[in-house]
Amino acid sequence: MSVQERLIRYCKVNTQSDPNSETIPSSKRQFDLANLLKKEMEEIGLVDIQLTEQCYLYGTLPSTLDEESETVGFIAHMDTAPDFSGENVNPRIIENYDGEDIHLNEQIILSVNDFPSMKNYIGKDLIVTDGNTLLGADDKAGIAEILEACDWLMKHPEIKHGKIKVAFTPDEEIGRGADCFDVAGFGCDFAYTLDGGEVHIVADETFNAASADIHIKGFSIHPGSAKDKMINALNIAQEFHALLPKDARPEHTEGREGFYHLHDMNGNVEEANLHYILRNHDLKKLELQKESLTLAKEYINKLYKRDLVDVVIHDEYRNMYEILKDNPRPVEIAKKALTTLGLNVEMESIRGGTDGATLTFKGLPCPNLGTGGGNYHGRYEYCCIQEMEQAVQCILNIVELVSTKEGL
């Protein structure tokens, strides 16, 4: 198979994760892809293949060197985002893209006005959706590229390289992808997640992340006799939200600006619940965001002279730059691998997170590489075939650099 044929095959397997599930993996359907990949890994010739009960799939490409060498790993996730349907994905290829609007179906148009960066792909071949589902290139493109590189190396034993490890994880899209990852068993000196966008971008920084659950108690009584008695929890929820800075919402931020994102709210007069995600590249600023929620709670409780609001904060992942800045070698190797392809490398501070952030703090330095896709988590998702091919070559270049003195 070509790398695009792999991607199309994988995209047709529904692997959406479920944020409301407490199981690992969050959805059993992720095993459908894991079992398919396990068979492909066996056919390619990988060894020590293991599929765990938690749907983590590991494999090894044996070394072809006579001497010891560092072990490098490549990681991608199997699940797709729960934000949009992943059922009955029907990818199609747009050859020699002309830079104009793409009619995904009779009603849905991928508009260049909405997505002006599409002009960067003029003359290239794109894989797009039929407008009814997401594509799943996030992150099945990463899987396809890793296995395509492994297949190429197995078919070219004359190419000398050290031991290479691969891993495919579940539940990355709901923030649990690295929770049960066996870092010690993986046995790598460092690794890369292939879970980014444009292929020339290397990411060595993520957000620091936390979430907050706000529970508000009200007092319900017939509205006809409610004067000085009713406390409407929904109104309190609005008051709470209004205390947070409006210019620090996702729709008003970019670059290294953090945000408060009201992700979900529900309730009635008697009680209401709000769920926030908090993000900031600067850990100290994230701590101030968390403190502001506590101050908002205290203000409202004092205003109403009773304990109406409760705030529970959960820490999620940290900015991997805190570790990688003192261990820059994996990043430098990736930059050299891409430069060798004639690409102008850009460094990115991700406005999000990856499995690599958690893995880096678990002792496995793990910057993130691009896969050639974009517009993730929705019907306008796409992937560029030429960039996928470059991502495969980037993996091969990294392997070569790690196995030679050039990588030292």
Side-chain angles (χ1 to χ4, degrees):
M1 288 184 288
S2 65
V3 67
Q4 65 264 31
E5 288 171 335
R6 292 183 191 276
L7 174 59
I8 290 171
R9 184 183 188 193
Y10 306 155
C11 285
K12 291 182 178 181
V13 183
N14 183 10
T15 58
Q16 280 186 290
S17 45
D18 180 1
N20 298 313
S21 170
E22 296 182 358
T23 63
I24 306 173
S26 66
S27 58
K28 292 296 183 183
R29 55 181 169 244
Q30 295 180 64
F31 275 107
D32 294 339
L33 181 58
N35 285 309
L36 183 154
L37 296 175
K38 182 174 181 288
K39 182 178 179 181
E40 286 191 14
M41 291 162 70
E42 292 168 346
E43 292 171 348
I44 288 171
L46 273 66
V47 300
D48 300 329
I49 300 169
Q50 179 188 13
L51 177 58
T52 74
E53 293 180 356
Q54 294 83 22
C55 202
Y56 287 76
L57 179 59
Y58 303 98
T60 303
L61 196 70
S63 173
T64 59
L65 297 174
D66 296 327
E67 67 275 6
E68 288 293 321
S69 174
E70 287 180 305
T71 299
V72 62
F74 299 95
I75 303 165
H77 65 87
M78 294 179 284
D79 66 313
T80 58
D83 308 57
F84 205 76
S85 174
E87 184 73 38
N88 298 319
V89 175
N90 184 32
R92 66 187 177 99
I93 296 177
I94 305 293
E95 295 183 346
N96 192 24
Y97 173 56
D98 60 8
E100 300 299 323
D101 291 349
I102 299 174
H103 291 256
L104 300 177
N105 59 42
E106 292 182 357
Q107 289 81 36
I108 306 298
I109 298 174
L110 199 171
S111 168
V112 177
N113 286 334
D114 293 334
F115 302 101
S117 62
M118 296 303 298
K119 292 285 187 180
N120 297 333
Y121 298 98
I122 293 174
K124 296 183 179 180
D125 303 320
L126 303 178
I127 303 175
V128 299
T129 77
D130 65 1
N132 297 312
T133 69
L134 50 66
L135 179 61
D138 179 12
D139 183 29
K140 292 168 183 174
I143 297 172
E145 290 152 7
I146 292 169
L147 289 185
E148 183 69 13
C150 288
D151 191 27
W152 193 91
L153 287 169
M154 287 299 295
K155 290 175 178 176
H156 295 81
E158 71 277 9
I159 304 300
K160 301 301 179 183
H161 59 81
K163 185 186 297 183
I164 301 165
K165 294 280 190 171
V166 302
F168 304 126
T169 63
D171 292 341
E172 189 273 350
E173 296 291 2
I174 57 173
R176 307 176 199 166
D179 286 1
C180 298
F181 195 101
D182 184 4
V183 171
F186 197 47
C188 286
D189 294 283
F190 55 89
Y192 300 91
T193 50
L194 275 88
D195 190 18
E198 294 174 281
V199 74
H200 68 284
I201 293 175
V202 178
D204 63 348
E205 185 169 19
T206 60
F207 274 138
N208 294 289
S211 64
D213 290 297
I214 318 300
H215 179 69
I216 300 170
K217 294 184 293 185
F219 183 78
S220 181
I221 191 171
H222 190 286
S225 55
K227 183 174 172 59
D228 298 328
K229 298 182 183 70
M230 178 186 285
I231 300 175
N232 190 327
L234 294 171
N235 289 336
I236 303 298
Q238 293 181 76
E239 292 179 39
F240 181 94
H241 186 58
L243 290 171
L244 303 178
K246 292 182 180 179
D247 61 354
R249 296 173 183 173
E251 59 267 36
H252 301 308
T253 61
E254 62 182 354
R256 290 180 54 81
E257 297 171 332
F259 58 73
Y260 305 76
H261 178 37
L262 178 57
H263 185 268
D264 183 65
M265 64 184 300
N266 61 77
N268 50 41
V269 174
E270 188 71 25
E271 65 176 351
N273 297 284
L274 300 87
H275 179 73
Y276 288 89
I277 65 172
L278 312 176
R279 300 291 188 265
N280 211 300
H281 291 99
D282 187 319
L283 185 59
K284 292 181 180 179
K285 290 182 179 179
L286 181 69
E287 293 301 321
L288 291 174
Q289 289 178 253
K290 291 155 64 175
E291 183 181 352
S292 70
L293 296 179
T294 301
L295 291 173
K297 175 195 77 171
E298 293 174 351
Y299 171 80
I300 290 179
N301 288 345
K302 184 176 181 179
L303 181 67
Y304 284 86
K305 298 179 181 178
R306 62 179 73 192
D307 292 334
L308 300 178
V309 180
D310 183 51
V311 176
V312 179
I313 296 174
H314 313 271
D315 288 316
E316 296 180 348
Y317 57 84
R318 298 266 298 278
N319 184 349
M320 61 185 177
Y321 185 72
E322 295 179 35
I323 304 297
L324 293 178
K325 64 182 174 60
D326 298 320
N327 184 15
R329 186 162 173 269
V331 172
E332 293 304 315
I333 289 175
K335 289 166 64 176
K336 189 169 184 178
L338 290 168
T339 301
T340 302
L341 295 176
L343 299 174
N344 294 319
V345 180
E346 293 183 20
M347 300 301 299
E348 180 181 54
S349 298
I350 302 174
R351 289 182 59 79
T354 68
D355 282 344
T358 301
L359 293 174
T360 296
F361 278 89
K362 285 187 172 185
L364 179 63
C366 200
N368 189 51
L369 304 178
T371 62
N375 298 347
Y376 292 146
H377 296 197
R379 66 174 89 235
Y380 302 107
E381 188 179 0
Y382 66 88
C383 200
C384 174
I385 292 174
Q386 284 79 8
E387 289 204 5
M388 290 184 71
E389 293 169 344
Q390 289 176 319
V392 173
Q393 190 59 54
C394 176
I395 294 172
L396 298 175
N397 287 353
I398 288 172
V399 167
E400 180 180 2
L401 289 167
V402 171
S403 304
T404 65
K405 293 183 179 180
E406 290 185 66
L408 297 178

